[in-house]
Amino acid sequence: MSDLLVARRFALYAGVGAIGTGTQYAILIAMVRSGSASPALSSMVGASVGAIVNYGLNRRITFRSNSNPLSTAPKFAIIALLGVLATGVCMKFFATSLEFNYLIAQLVTTALVLGLTYLLNSAWTFND
């Protein structure tokens, strides 16, 4: 795959992911402000909902996959679960250990998890 195609696909992945990320941030902010949960747990809940939103969009738009959804959905779910766990670890580290504001911690976490999940989904989930 050419570098241009990889860059285009990553831009699509990030753009499509912005919809799920918006969902994640809304849940994060609502849960933290209401005192329902810690930033780490709130972010993990938001990431879980965002992953559901992102599956269909990535399958159709980013990767234009013709693979059977019964094959790709479980793989995407495993990658999403890894992303949710990575989100929890990163948020705990940045927001608690380093005492970043939870929204700053979320921005850094989002960038890290975006790169990780893109690489894994490209190599495994949607590798036609």
Side-chain angles (χ1 to χ4, degrees):
M1 185 180 306
S2 74
D3 290 344
L4 182 59
L5 182 56
V6 171
R8 181 181 178 279
R9 194 175 267 180
F10 180 76
L12 281 171
Y13 188 82
V16 164
I19 296 167
T21 300
T23 302
Q24 177 184 9
Y25 280 51
I27 291 169
L28 166 69
I29 292 167
M31 289 180 72
V32 168
R33 288 194 177 166
S34 71
S36 301
S38 70
L41 180 59
S42 300
S43 183
M44 291 172 72
V45 170
S48 298
V49 175
I52 294 166
V53 170
N54 284 339
Y55 170 71
L57 295 172
N58 276 307
R59 185 172 183 279
R60 298 229 183 251
I61 296 170
T62 306
F63 297 101
R64 298 180 185 187
S65 177
N66 292 321
S67 299
N68 185 336
L70 295 176
S71 167
T72 57
K75 292 177 182 177
F76 193 89
I78 290 167
I79 302 300
L81 179 59
L82 290 172
V84 168
L85 294 173
T87 293
V89 169
C90 289
M91 285 295 289
K92 185 80 170 162
F93 176 71
F94 294 126
T96 304
S97 298
L98 297 183
E99 298 182 1
F100 285 11
N101 171 280
Y102 76 96
L103 292 174
I104 300 298
Q106 184 61 68
L107 288 171
V108 175
T109 297
T110 297
L112 295 171
V113 173
L114 171 69
L116 172 69
T117 60
Y118 172 75
L119 291 172
L120 294 172
N121 279 312
S122 291
W124 187 46
T125 307
F126 297 107
N127 186 8
D128 293 331

